[in-house]
Amino acid sequence: MTVRVRFAPSPTGHLHVGSARTALYNWLFARNRGGVFILRSDDTDTERSEVEYHEDILSGLRWMGLDWDEGLEVGGPHGTYRQSDRLDRYRQAAEELVAAGHAYYDLATPEQLEESRKAAQSENRSPAYRGEYRGEGVVPGKPIRFAMRRPHATEFEDLVRGSVRFDHDDVDDFVILRSDGTPTYHLASTVDDVDFGITHVVRGEDILPSTPKHIALTTALGAPPATYAHLALINGPDGKKLSKRHGHTSLRAYREMGYLPEAISNYLAILGWAPGPDEEIVSLDTMVERFDLADVSRNPAVFDLAKLEWMNGVYIRAMAVPDFVGRSLPLAEAGLGRTLDAGERTLFEAVAPLIQERAKLLTEVPEQTRFLFTDPIEYDPGSWDKVMTKPEAVVAVEGAIARLDALSDWSTGSIEEALRGMLDEHGLSAGKGLQPIRVAVTGSSVSPPLFESLEALGRERSLARLQEAAGRLRA
RNA sequence: GCCCCCAUCGUCCAGCGGCCUAGGACGCCGGCCUUUCAAGCCGGCAACACGGGUUCGAAUCCCGUUGGGGGCACCA
């Protein structure tokens, strides 16, 4: 049987990195098995759903390199993959379930419901609600609940958790159709999974406790239950569910911070799964080859930003230079607020490889290249205080002016030779003597390699900056 | 309160009864290289939560304890 999986986010927020990983695992599983990956929108919560989020989710998935075979913007045999378009289907299903005796209109008032829950709790029983106030015919203004079979239990083999069992005494008779006639998540999601022929439901562990409800519903709908796989959640450094207070949680945020999609998908995949012993830098293709839900870890993983950063650096260094230029040039231009002309582009291309070797984030490129395109240079106050207040600063800067001014061949090699001569002349170490020149020319104590930077900047601008710094030092 | 899930270095993962004096990666510490910052190279610190079983033999299987996480909506 062909594997059919689905990723079914609710457009009630930006695509969360945890959801992104769920999507990735679904996709990997489908691709590994030669199956079908379906993208659906679980937007039954019309209050909180927004188009902006809907689009964020689609673009996030595409950015990661995931594609889908059926569903949103692709279509397929089911016409629509948006739950808000299928409201009639869900209502009809709910009514059929009532007719078949699997569900009932709940006549209870909110007070009676509350009372029932309190009673259970005070008796140290599970507060599972049993719907003591049933109505059979159509009762407008009342919600429909699914009647869990009791006494009974649901037991199933979860692909990642193994055998799981829930006693129905601990499971609510849950609402499937709200009193306003709209479906709840349980109904809509299950009906869709049945209608779309989903064979494997791969989702977060947070809905593991709802699984007996979904299995009961599926069976009542007359379909064989899907195989389930519940993924452990991603936690913050404190071991609690990853949330805003740990930093950024949306995929978009990482994208904007300068992370590469290859690094993100690789890191997310590694968080709870190993492509092989002692191997963790792997392409999407390799992941597809090796992925299996049975190998996914059962314990929750802590999101480690430091490791993500390291991995991003690995991917940046692995890029072909033109590719690096292509991806980082727009960032540099955005940082400057203008486009670069042909000459400036050449400068950018000259220093880009030097930055590529040392950057962990693409967003480091604008700050590292700024000195090439901004006149007059802005000095970083911290760097100035740290370097230019030292006694050797004046000597080094003025020595550099003298040597470089006399230089006939303006190339990295000659510049290095000239400046090293200056260091010797004044008895300065490279560490001490070159830093003031770096600050004078780039504005910062952290920059691409100095001699190359000087060559790129050109004689005239380099000397002007050294003069400018010398003037400030004298003042 | 009730239910469920989980448990190997600080973090992620390997280990699926003997190959384990427990391996890799990130991070951290020290060193080398070095014009800053990185990168690279070398070395180091660091874990099987605890208690019972099962077995000739347990990180690996079973039970319990403890600890952590998730869920208990007319939200998904």
Side-chain angles (χ1 to χ4, degrees), chain A residues 170-231:
Chain A
D170 301 317
V171 183
D172 269 329
D173 278 1
F174 55 104
V175 171
I176 56 177
L177 201 74
R178 302 188 187 104
S179 48
D180 67 358
T182 61
T184 61
Y185 157 74
H186 299 301
L187 209 224
S189 175
T190 306
V191 166
D192 280 357
D193 287 347
V194 169
D195 286 357
F196 300 169
I198 301 303
T199 58
H200 299 259
V201 174
V202 183
R203 45 154 57 161
E205 193 189 7
D206 50 339
I207 23 196
L208 181 59
S210 293
T211 306
K213 298 177 182 176
H214 301 165
I215 290 178
L217 249 179
T218 305
T219 307
L221 254 13
T227 300
Y228 289 86
H230 288 92
L231 275 16

Side-chain angles (χ1 to χ4, degrees), chain A residues 52-336:
Chain A
E52 179 203 342
Y53 297 138
H54 182 265
E55 274 157 16
D56 180 75
I57 291 165
L58 297 186
S59 84
L61 295 176
R62 289 199 190 96
W63 180 71
M64 281 205 300
L66 307 190
D67 57 346
W68 49 100
D69 312 299
E70 284 180 30
L72 299 171
E73 302 196 347
V74 174
H78 308 286
T80 178
Y81 291 79
R82 197 175 300 196
Q83 294 191 329
S84 53
D85 291 338
R86 291 169 44 83
L87 265 22
D88 291 343
R89 165 68 181 123
Y90 308 128
R91 189 176 307 126
Q92 171 213 337
E95 282 164 5
E96 282 171 14
L97 287 168
V98 173
H102 288 300
Y104 58 89
Y105 285 89
D106 187 2
L107 271 26
T109 61
E111 295 75 39
Q112 288 170 316
L113 216 165
E114 178 68 8
E115 200 178 303
S116 156
R117 295 214 135 92
K118 275 194 175 145
Q121 195 151 332
S122 67
E123 290 165 41
N124 266 12
R125 265 172 35 220
S126 166
Y129 178 66
R130 287 139 183 285
E132 286 124 277
Y133 312 94
R134 300 173 176 230
E136 303 305 330
V138 173
V139 187
K142 289 293 179 186
I144 296 179
R145 279 184 192 274
F146 185 86
M148 289 301 287
R149 181 176 158 202
R150 275 183 288 255
H152 198 64
T154 296
E155 194 160 5
F156 61 98
E157 276 301 310
D158 188 289
L159 245 32
V160 347
R161 323 220 73 89
S163 175
V164 182
R165 181 195 158 90
F166 287 90
D167 195 303
H168 286 17
D169 283 340
D170 301 317
V171 183
D172 269 329
D173 278 1
F174 55 104
V175 171
I176 56 177
L177 201 74
R178 302 188 187 104
S179 48
D180 67 358
T182 61
T184 61
Y185 157 74
H186 299 301
L187 209 224
S189 175
T190 306
V191 166
D192 280 357
D193 287 347
V194 169
D195 286 357
F196 300 169
I198 301 303
T199 58
H200 299 259
V201 174
V202 183
R203 45 154 57 161
E205 193 189 7
D206 50 339
I207 23 196
L208 181 59
S210 293
T211 306
K213 298 177 182 176
H214 301 165
I215 290 178
L217 249 179
T218 305
T219 307
L221 254 13
T227 300
Y228 289 86
H230 288 92
L231 275 16
L233 270 20
I234 296 179
N235 291 155
D238 60 356
K240 308 256 193 253
K241 185 154 60 169
L242 189 65
S243 70
K244 317 283 182 296
R245 67 205 165 88
H246 298 116
H248 299 282
T249 56
S250 72
L251 189 69
R252 168 163 302 278
Y254 290 91
R255 183 174 172 176
E256 284 166 1
M257 280 187 283
Y259 287 92
L260 300 174
E262 297 89 332
I264 292 281
S265 59
N266 194 159
Y267 180 68
L268 252 23
I270 289 312
L271 215 52
W273 174 69
D278 306 345
E279 194 181 358
E280 37 189 23
I281 301 285
V282 284
S283 68
L284 235 33
D285 286 345
T286 306
M287 291 184 224
V288 166
E289 261 170 51
R290 307 196 189 160
F291 189 79
D292 191 346
L293 285 170
D295 297 331
V296 171
S297 170
R298 288 176 304 283
N299 32 338
V302 172
F303 191 82
D304 184 2
L305 195 61
K307 185 151 186 175
L308 208 209
E309 263 193 22
W310 163 79
M311 193 170 272
N312 204 55
V314 170
Y315 276 97
I316 284 183
R317 273 172 261 129
M319 278 197 255
V321 174
D323 193 17
F324 178 76
V325 170
R327 291 216 224 183
S328 56
L329 181 63
L331 259 33
E333 292 184 325
L336 290 165

